[in-house]
Amino acid sequence: MENILQVKNLSVGFNIEDNFYYALNNINLSFEKGKIHAIAGESGCGKSVFINTILKLLPKNALIKQGRIIFKNEDLLELKNKEFNKLRGKTISLIPQDPFMSLNPLYTIENQLLEVTESKEKITSALEEVRIKNIDTVLKSYPHELSGGMKQRIIIAMSLISDSELILADEPTTALDVSVSNSILNLLLELKNKGKTIILITHDLSIVSNYCDTTTIMYLGDIVEKADTKTLFRKPLHPYTTALLKALPNEEGKRLENIKGQISPITETINGCKFHPRCNCAMDKCSKQKPELKDCYNDFVSCWLY
């Protein structure tokens, strides 16, 4: 097993009105090469902060308190901007939620792809791989003339052209309808089969179950559970994971269960396990002491139940 990326003791937060608040708390994760790894949880759990930390795209009020991000034996956090720019968009690429924000509205698709490579053969080949027809027409188009799904395919084609080894997909199907979403996810699966490593940020566990090899569940900046996807779906351990799965539609037609309450802002201090105010299994200890992430039944879980 070869890990292409290792995140060690990563803690990141934001300065807000003269106070500092953590958005990521001591994150430790390893990502095996040639797999699709899901990071899941509700909005506000820290998923996008994690991706933006890897890409060094954090806002000015963000601060990395500690940690290392090792990509192929090199700590990304120690690289100067000039050195990192040689990796970002090339060896490491991003598929964003809104592809329109990543494409310049003033230039044609062809002009933007030519910035990645001057080889028209590579461009044509990449567009064919992402199932784009009428290539000549698409190349002459401006971003606003293309659908959301088509723009997302263009972004994926850019990753193919640059031959990225690590692809960070930040909820890439959020703005797309179901049929287009499935085609984009199938493209990611094809990239995995070609040896690419993909970190998929999502709040949709139905996507995770069908496409991802491993799954990490986050809650308010903490990892609460991580396991291979089959294990996690077969026998979830953390109450938060269980609650997320119970909120999924099922073939048996059971009534969906909502998670009580709502996720707190990072400015709110929660002692102990951060999920305990919403947890049906909460004990007195849960509000006083934070549980560690421990190996349990081929799973890693942070919960006093185990």
Side-chain angles (χ1 to χ4, degrees):
M1 180 182 69
E2 180 185 353
N3 291 323
I4 192 172
L5 184 75
Q6 290 180 291
V7 178
K8 300 182 178 181
N9 305 317
L10 182 66
S11 294
V12 180
F14 297 93
N15 291 306
I16 303 173
E17 296 180 353
D18 299 324
N19 291 305
F20 183 80
Y21 302 98
Y22 281 97
L24 297 176
N25 303 288
N26 201 36
I27 301 298
N28 287 278
L29 287 171
S30 295
F31 299 95
E32 187 179 347
K33 188 175 181 179
K35 303 286 186 181
I36 300 181
H37 306 271
I39 298 180
E42 295 169 280
S43 296
C45 284
K47 308 183 300 296
S48 292
V49 174
F50 178 74
I51 286 290
N52 289 329
T53 303
I54 296 173
L55 291 168
K56 291 190 174 184
L57 294 176
L58 293 169
K60 290 182 179 180
N61 67 327
L63 180 64
I64 300 172
K65 280 286 189 178
Q66 66 172 22
R68 304 177 70 199
I69 301 175
I70 311 298
F71 175 69
K72 299 176 65 177
N73 301 317
E74 191 168 34
D75 190 347
L76 298 180
L77 298 182
E78 292 184 354
L79 294 180
K80 295 180 180 179
N81 288 338
K82 188 175 181 180
E83 295 173 315
F84 189 78
N85 287 339
K86 294 178 181 178
L87 296 176
R88 185 170 51 207
K90 297 169 186 175
T91 308
I92 303 173
S93 61
L94 170 69
I95 302 174
Q97 290 185 35
D98 185 356
F100 190 81
M101 298 299 292
S102 297
L103 295 171
N104 193 322
L106 301 179
Y107 293 94
T108 64
I109 298 301
E110 182 174 24
N111 286 337
Q112 296 183 61
L113 292 175
L114 285 171
E115 291 180 4
V116 183
T117 179
E118 294 181 357
S119 171
K120 292 193 175 183
E121 289 184 6
K122 277 189 176 182
I123 290 174
T124 300
S125 176
L127 294 178
E128 287 175 346
E129 283 195 60
V130 296
R131 309 287 189 271
I132 288 181
K133 300 177 181 178
N134 302 319
I135 290 177
D136 290 339
T137 301
V138 170
L139 288 174
K140 293 175 184 177
S141 301
Y142 289 87
H144 72 272
E145 298 177 303
L146 302 176
S147 67
M150 188 68 77
K151 288 194 283 280
Q152 202 64 288
R153 289 170 188 266
I154 298 295
I155 298 295
I156 296 173
M158 287 180 174
S159 298
L160 290 171
I161 292 170
S162 60
D163 200 25
S164 299
E165 297 179 57
L166 176 63
I167 298 171
L168 309 176
D170 189 3
E171 304 204 41
T173 61
T174 297
L176 308 177
D177 61 46
V178 174
S179 61
V180 178
S181 295
N182 289 338
S183 66
I184 296 299
L185 291 166
N186 286 329
L187 283 175
L188 295 182
L189 201 56
E190 290 178 21
L191 291 178
K192 166 201 161 180
N193 293 335
K194 293 177 181 178
K196 309 293 184 183
T197 306
I198 299 165
I199 300 177
L200 176 64
I201 300 298
T202 184
H203 60 269
D204 189 341
L205 289 184
S206 61
I207 289 175
V208 173
S209 65
N210 290 312
Y211 293 93
C212 300
D213 299 289
T214 68
T215 302
T216 298
I217 304 293
M218 291 186 68
Y219 189 80
L220 278 178
D222 291 329
I223 295 174
V224 297
E225 187 166 0
K226 61 179 181 178
D228 73 83
T229 301
K230 289 182 179 179
T231 298
L232 186 136
F233 274 76
R234 183 174 63 250
K235 190 176 180 180
L237 299 183
H238 199 281
Y240 180 54
T241 309
T242 302
L244 289 174
L245 292 175
K246 285 183 177 180
L248 281 176
N250 57 79
E251 295 179 358
E252 299 173 4
K254 293 181 180 178
R255 185 175 181 177
L256 304 184
E257 297 183 24
N258 293 327
I259 305 174
K260 69 178 182 180
Q262 58 186 3
I263 194 164
S264 303
I266 62 170
T267 53
E268 182 177 327
T269 300
I270 302 175
N271 295 321
C273 171
K274 291 180 182 177
F275 185 62
H276 86 263
R278 305 174 69 191
C279 183
N280 293 325
C281 304
M283 303 174 284
D284 186 54
K285 189 176 187 178
C286 300
S287 62
K288 297 176 180 178
Q289 188 176 351
K290 184 177 179 178
E292 295 180 4
L293 191 68
K294 292 186 176 181
D295 190 352
C296 184
Y297 306 119
N298 298 317
D299 196 333
F300 284 86
V301 63
S302 171
C303 181
W304 286 119
L305 291 174
Y306 308 94

